[in-house]
Amino acid sequence: MTLYICGNSHVRALRAGMQAIAEEVEDEVAVFPLGTADNEAESFSTLEDGYVVLTNSRFRNKLRKFFGFSRFEPGHRWGICLGTHNARIFRNEGWLRAAPAWLNLPGMQPVSESVFAQMVATDQRHIRTFFDQLLQTGVRPFVISAPWPVRHHPIMTETGVKPEIVQAVDARARALFADWLAQRGIDLVAPPSETADADGFLRPIFAKGGEDIYHGNARYGKIMMRKVLAERLGVAAA
């Protein structure tokens, strides 16, 4: 049975990685991104005749073109990369004056854990709706995480937000989403620990580089896809 992997633009690295290791894998794996993560900030799915369909035209057209489906059906295996692209939360100049309360940074307005949890839930509301819709219709997906944040993001290098704040925001948002998924029995494949530096940022050798401030490269995609296949298909890494 084919494993279908889709989601936001972080899937591009997964596709490149899968192409690099395709000869190592007997199972059929189809990988293609549906659109950028900014599309997640608006409603992009609905229930129609007992199935989940995509209302975002870009997502919908790509699902049909590259996977041959107009809806998500229970008989298919899905790995979906949504929900851990936390840049919408950390690329905010408000973090120049405020910080997560658990960091105890002097001179900064503390943001409590409960307030932060609400921020994350609000940011992810359409993503969470999508996964709840899938479960409601009998689709049992697993989630593939986005890579760690990139250290040269301008919110730090140009705006001046402290790296420890960005890392703390990203790490806690990931943990909250992981807990939310676990409550619903949805597995999450986290980025390989060796792709992070000591401070929790994506190591430069795994970043796409240049003007790209978000994505992993093909090397990252290769190691991440090997982890996905090992955890979900039992395919040992070469």
Side-chain angles (χ1 to χ4, degrees), residues 186-209:
I186 300 176
D187 293 331
L188 172 67
V189 181
S193 58
E194 62 267 33
T195 62
D197 66 17
D199 298 319
F201 291 94
L202 188 65
R203 292 172 60 194
I205 61 170
F206 295 114
K208 191 168 184 180

Side-chain angles (χ1 to χ4, degrees), residues 106-204:
M108 303 291 280
Q109 177 66 39
V111 177
S112 70
E113 294 189 31
S114 61
V115 169
F116 184 78
Q118 185 56 54
M119 290 170 58
V120 173
T122 298
D123 178 77
Q124 297 177 349
R125 62 191 182 280
H126 302 302
I127 298 167
R128 295 183 180 192
T129 294
F130 171 67
F131 283 114
D132 277 339
Q133 290 169 342
L134 290 177
L135 295 178
Q136 184 178 339
T137 59
V139 178
R140 304 294 305 184
F142 66 93
V143 174
I144 301 172
S145 176
W148 318 109
V150 175
R151 186 182 287 276
H152 67 268
H153 193 289
I155 197 65
M156 293 174 280
T157 61
E158 298 177 13
T159 306
V161 172
K162 296 179 180 179
E164 59 264 39
I165 292 178
V166 171
Q167 196 281 329
V169 166
D170 180 70
R172 184 58 61 93
R174 287 172 183 269
L176 288 168
F177 188 55
D179 288 346
W180 184 89
L181 292 172
Q183 291 171 14
R184 287 155 176 77
I186 300 176
D187 293 331
L188 172 67
V189 181
S193 58
E194 62 267 33
T195 62
D197 66 17
D199 298 319
F201 291 94
L202 188 65
R203 292 172 60 194

